[in-house]
Amino acid sequence: MFFDLPLVDLVAQAAARPDLLRQHYGELFARIERLDVVLQSLCDPTWNWIAAELDRIGSMSKPGGQGTLLGIPVGVKDTIVVDHLPTKAGTRADVGQILQLPQSPAVTALQAAGAVIVAKQATNQFCSSAGPAQTQSIRGKVFFAGGSTVGGAVAVAAGFTRLALGSDAAGSIRHPAALAGVAGLRPRKGTISDQGQINGSLSGQSTGLIARSAHDIASILEQCPGLYIPPDTEATFDKDLLTIGVPDISWTGIAPAAQSALRLASSRLSERGYKVVATPVWQTQEAQDDFFLVMSFENWLFHQPLMARHPEIYDPAVFDVMRGGETIARCDAEAARSRLANHRKRFFDVARAQGVDILLTPSIPWPDIRKKAGTPRELSGVGGRFTAISNIYDVDSITVPAEKAPRGWPRSVMLHGLSIPLSSLLVCAKDLDLHQPTLESA
């Protein structure tokens, strides 16, 4: 299939044969219409919209065009604004229009590079686990599909898009990516613009990407420099040997399958020349409590005026969750924010003392979570033991499929870059990713 080509080949063919690109997209749209009735990963995709996107990029295939991502199909989480498409955030109202939000700069950068926005991606209402999305797991209806960027993960895994633009406040990109067997990046906050999206101001939330592999994510960032905003404090790095720290997680009670993936990843990294060591680096319960207190308070500040004007757009359960921050006093939230700064300092002091550059953890406690094992909210909370590390301490984090299970479903692990550039983390992720040709043939 055309859209299964390596990204560089896909772009080259789209530029060489623009007359065939519309045909390829017609076939893709037919596939979406046939399969997404069940998966429900995308929000009301239409051929008229896709045709308009193809018309928009038409001039980029001509000499002098700047289409570095020409023809790449992309999905955008339905909390992120795309001009001329509604931004409903899992509701029945166009919340983006109500709030008069501008188009996301990240969307603008992708479009300017020639990417085709296929459709918005289904999400939980306002990214809340109390309002689960209707998206079905790529593995079947009895499986849990993950957190709020679930539509993007399923769309990428199903082949509807090659890239998904989403957001991650405590694993909302990495949980569904891991469960779908694809790669999910939560970069440091602000690395990809948080503007033009609902709740983009939350201090723990970051805009990120889902793609088939870490290689695809790295390629997208390289080919679309307007998407990437280097942090002011990005580390300079000149070490020849990266140290991978693996914390003791025996107390978490993770499944044997998840432990197997972690052992395999550790072994593979060691074989590829990384130094792998046991480490005490880990989040504290106090840091986690303070982080979620601040998040709840900020969430309430955002939703309070919207709930007052438009209470009808909220699912009752989501309404109750959002009101949870109402009981938090501003002074308590500010005190928690101050303590978070100290938590982060101690965390990085320990990492530096240990010489740990990257933390290796499971992505989720069980690679095949069935719905009957617990509610999505409960399962997300348990999984958050691993994903919330990067949100609390604001570090780059990526989940990659690292092992193929006996039934064929990938099992994922997660890498957290502690004091290294994102580029170095992505190199390590590519060394692990099961979807890399060197690993598939190993």
Side-chain angles (χ1 to χ4, degrees):
M1 184 176 174
F2 176 75
F3 294 106
D4 292 330
L5 291 170
L7 288 180
V8 63
D9 295 336
L10 196 160
V11 171
Q13 290 204 27
R17 294 297 308 271
D19 55 315
L20 293 180
L21 192 57
R22 192 172 295 261
Q23 176 184 326
H24 292 312
Y25 265 96
E27 295 168 355
L28 177 65
F29 185 69
R31 173 181 168 83
I32 291 170
E33 281 195 306
R34 186 174 70 254
L35 300 179
D36 209 40
V37 171
V38 174
L39 294 176
Q40 297 186 61
S41 65
L42 301 175
C43 302
D44 303 318
T46 69
W47 174 248
N48 285 343
W49 169 263
I50 293 175
E53 281 286 277
L54 293 172
D55 290 341
R56 179 185 58 78
I57 68 169
S59 62
M60 294 184 185
S61 61
K62 299 175 182 177
Q66 298 298 313
T68 54
L69 296 181
L70 186 69
I72 301 296
V74 175
V76 178
K77 187 175 183 176
D78 200 24
T79 55
I80 301 174
V81 177
V82 177
D83 283 347
H84 310 301
L85 286 179
T87 303
K88 297 183 177 181
T91 73
R92 295 182 180 180
D94 189 343
V95 182
Q97 186 176 56
I98 291 172
L99 298 174
Q100 297 185 318
L101 295 174
Q103 173 162 291
S104 160
V107 170
T108 300
L110 288 166
Q111 288 183 319
V116 174
I117 307 300
V118 173
K120 303 299 283 296
Q121 302 161 176
T123 183
N124 308 64
Q125 188 174 113
F126 294 114
C127 305
S128 170
S129 55
Q134 298 303 309
T135 306
Q136 178 180 293
S137 169
I138 194 75
R139 304 183 184 194
K141 63 183 180 179
V142 300
F143 290 95
F144 178 44
S148 66
T149 309
V150 59
V154 172
V156 169
F160 303 154
T161 68
R162 283 296 293 270
L163 180 73
L165 182 69
S167 60
D168 187 315
S172 305
I173 282 176
R174 290 159 293 153
H175 280 160
L179 289 164
V182 293
L185 171 70
R186 183 271 179 200
R188 291 177 59 184
K189 185 169 181 63
T191 298
I192 298 174
S193 177
D194 298 314
Q195 298 175 22
Q197 65 178 278
I198 296 165
N199 265 11
S201 61
L202 285 180
S203 57
Q205 180 170 288
S206 176
T207 305
L209 306 172
I210 295 176
R212 293 184 181 182
S213 66
H215 186 276
D216 273 8
I217 288 176
S219 294
I220 293 289
L221 291 174
E222 289 168 3
Q223 296 301 318
C224 187
L227 184 64
Y228 176 71
I229 307 167
D232 294 336
T233 57
E234 184 167 56
T236 56
F237 194 68
D238 58 3
K239 287 178 65 175
D240 293 328
L241 177 65
L242 281 172
T243 298
I244 312 292
V246 183
D248 176 13
I249 55 172
S250 58
W251 57 273
T252 62
I254 65 170
Q259 295 179 33
S260 171
L262 196 65
R263 286 194 299 269
L264 179 66
S266 298
S267 175
R268 185 170 289 146
L269 288 172
S270 181
E271 291 170 359
R272 281 164 170 71
Y274 296 89
K275 181 181 179 182
V276 180
V277 300
T279 180
V281 177
W282 188 251
Q283 69 194 48
T284 65
Q285 186 62 49
E286 293 81 5
Q288 181 169 303
D289 291 345
D290 284 334
F291 170 77
F292 283 110
L293 189 151
V294 171
M295 284 276 289
S296 295
F297 179 73
E298 291 180 351
N299 213 27
W300 165 245
L301 290 183
F302 175 87
H303 283 280
Q304 181 183 19
L306 185 60
M307 292 167 70
R309 286 161 36 213
H310 297 282
E312 73 282 355
I313 69 177
Y314 287 81
D315 179 277
V318 175
F319 191 93
D320 289 343
V321 168
M322 298 308 172
R323 287 198 64 183
E326 185 179 17
T327 61
I328 300 171
R330 183 178 292 274
C331 61
D332 291 336
E334 291 304 322
R337 196 187 308 277
S338 177
R339 290 194 298 271
L340 265 177
N342 291 326
H343 294 314
R344 288 167 177 157
K345 182 180 183 304
R346 287 194 292 270
F347 177 86
F348 288 113
D349 284 347
V350 173
R352 280 190 293 271
Q354 292 285 314
V356 174
D357 303 304
I358 296 174
L359 201 62
L360 173 65
T361 72
S363 296
I364 47 176
W366 308 281
D368 299 317
I369 302 179
R370 294 180 182 271
K371 285 185 176 179
K372 65 183 180 180
T375 67
R377 189 175 184 188
E378 291 167 343
L379 293 169
S380 293
V382 174
R385 288 174 176 167
F386 308 111
T387 52
I389 294 171
S390 65
N391 303 88
I392 294 170
Y393 302 107
D394 193 24
V395 297
D396 300 319
S397 179
I398 185 169
T399 180
V400 291
E403 182 183 34
K404 184 163 285 188
R407 294 181 182 179
W409 292 112
R411 295 169 176 159
S412 295
V413 296
M414 192 156 39
L415 298 165
H416 311 266
L418 303 188
S419 299
I420 60 172
L422 175 57
S423 57
S424 298
L425 182 69
L426 289 173
V427 168
C428 183
K430 288 190 285 186
D431 282 340
L432 263 188
D433 200 318
L434 185 67
H435 295 322
Q436 296 304 305
T438 54
L439 298 186
E440 290 176 341
S441 61

